[in-house]
Amino acid sequence: MRLRRSMMFIPGANAGMLSNSYIYQPDSVMFDLEDSVSLTEKDSARFLVFNTLKENLYGDIETVVRINGVETPFWEDDLDMAVRAGVQIVRLPKTETVEEIKELEQRIEKIEKDCGRTIGDTKIMAAIESACGVVNSVAIAKATPRMVAIALAGFDYLVDMQTSRSSGSEPELFYARAAVLHAARAAKIDAFDVAYGNVNDEEGFLREVEIAKNLGYNGKSLIHPRQIELLHKAYAPAQKDVDHARKVVAAAEDAEQKGLGVISLDGKMIDPPVVHEAQRVLLLAEHS
């Protein structure tokens, strides 16, 4: 079980951020070769990200590379670099169809064979950024065993929907958030909520975090290090939930040691999903 509460964007052309962003300890770090990199810097950014991945500065922090979209002339070189450098996850932006994921999967497998990586080692994350992507999100989420997460990208989606961000409960994002999350759960993978652009608005950021958490999102895409601690604290379980989770896990371990097929606590049967949720709560508590 891996925590994916925070995925921090790092511009691929920013050598300083590439070399030291691990100190902020996000759960996942995403080296961006797409929107944050100008056309004139695409090649140099790819080189910088390759060297960063090869230096293995990030340790246990999950590494992600957002390549350029399949409609661009850059994505194949981006993909070749990322897989050869040993990235854990490739994030495909503006995903709209299963066919895009299948093509990505085939190319990843070819590169893995060419460079000697274990086949299947490189995972995929799809970014959903349009009405078409939202409508097809279940099929996209289930397109390949390599898929470990899907992420909703709010800005492009709202442009496609001919609307903009409001305040409060943000009804303009509700359907997309619900659809993408349901797709993730149907495929048994993780889901990332949209990034919050105003880094100085902590109240607004925490309001969005609460929406994502209450819906059931595993975490959120982030654009600034100061958002990491706020997010992790917001996802931390209450002490009463931690205490109960410890009892559930202890009861499960006791039943396993005794060879019992039924787990009970305080006279009540405990199903496996309850045990799994208790383990997740303890993991959140450990890393809060």
Side-chain angles (χ1 to χ4, degrees):
M1 187 184 302
R2 175 183 279 275
L3 287 181
R4 291 193 175 102
R5 299 163 296 178
S6 53
M7 179 173 60
M8 188 172 73
F9 282 66
I10 299 178
N14 190 321
M17 290 190 69
L18 289 170
S19 65
N20 64 22
S21 291
Y22 60 87
I23 65 176
Y24 302 109
Q25 291 296 298
D27 293 330
S28 305
V29 64
M30 192 194 73
F31 305 124
D32 183 31
L33 298 175
E34 195 208 12
D35 287 347
S36 69
V37 179
S38 68
L39 292 177
T40 59
E41 293 181 305
K42 294 294 186 184
D43 290 340
S44 59
R46 194 180 300 120
F47 177 77
L48 287 171
V49 171
F50 178 82
N51 285 325
T52 300
L53 287 166
K54 295 298 286 185
E55 288 174 11
N56 195 28
L57 298 171
Y58 285 80
D60 292 334
I61 298 172
E62 186 173 60
T63 57
V64 184
V65 168
R66 178 166 75 169
I67 64 173
N68 285 276
V70 294
E71 76 285 357
T72 74
F74 308 109
W75 77 277
E76 292 176 273
D77 287 341
D78 292 347
L79 184 65
D80 187 76
M81 175 281 297
V83 176
R84 290 180 185 277
V87 76
Q88 291 169 282
I89 300 175
V90 171
R91 172 165 163 157
L92 182 67
K94 301 176 177 62
T95 309
E96 294 195 331
T97 68
V98 170
E99 287 72 27
E100 291 168 346
I101 297 298
K102 292 297 184 183
E103 182 177 6
L104 181 69
E105 179 182 36
Q106 291 170 4
R107 290 182 181 272
I108 288 174
E109 182 169 333
K110 182 179 184 304
I111 300 167
E112 286 176 338
K113 288 178 180 177
D114 288 346
C115 69
R117 284 189 70 174
T118 302
I119 303 302
D121 189 40
T122 312
K123 306 305 180 184
I124 294 173
M125 178 189 305
I128 307 299
E129 309 187 35
S130 66
C132 182
V134 170
V135 170
N136 291 331
S137 58
V138 173
I140 290 168
K142 292 184 172 184
T144 169
R146 291 181 187 263
M147 191 76 69
V148 294
I150 51 177
L152 177 62
F155 180 77
D156 284 0
Y157 169 75
L158 293 177
V159 170
D160 194 41
M161 294 300 293
Q162 301 177 25
T163 186
S164 59
R165 285 235 191 182
S166 61
S167 58
S169 61
E170 298 173 343
E172 68 278 358
L173 282 172
F174 179 76
Y175 177 77
R177 277 178 164 144
V180 168
L181 180 62
H182 276 76
R185 294 296 170 260
K188 301 189 186 311
I189 61 176
D190 289 341
F192 283 100
D193 187 43
V194 300
Y196 191 76
N198 187 350
V199 298
N200 295 317
D201 181 12
E202 290 187 3
E203 181 180 350
F205 173 71
L206 289 173
R207 182 187 67 242
E208 273 212 352
V209 170
E210 194 67 14
I211 292 171
K213 178 184 174 184
N214 288 342
L215 282 172
Y217 272 84
N218 298 87
K220 197 167 179 65
S221 300
L222 306 177
I223 64 168
H224 198 280
R226 76 173 70 164
Q227 296 175 326
I228 296 171
E229 185 177 1
L230 293 171
L231 176 67
H232 289 184
K233 285 184 176 179
Y235 266 75
Q239 188 58 49
K240 63 180 180 62
D241 296 327
V242 175
D243 294 341
H244 179 70
R246 287 189 178 123
K247 291 180 181 179
V248 170
V249 171
E253 291 174 348
D254 182 61
E256 183 178 3
Q257 289 174 1
K258 294 178 178 178
L260 301 177
V262 176
I263 306 170
S264 64
L265 177 64
D266 299 331
K268 297 179 181 179
M269 287 182 58
I270 301 173
D271 294 328
V274 176
V275 177
H276 185 271
E277 174 60 16
Q279 292 168 336
R280 188 183 74 87
V281 168
L282 294 181
L283 185 62
L284 282 168
E286 180 185 349
H287 290 86
S288 297

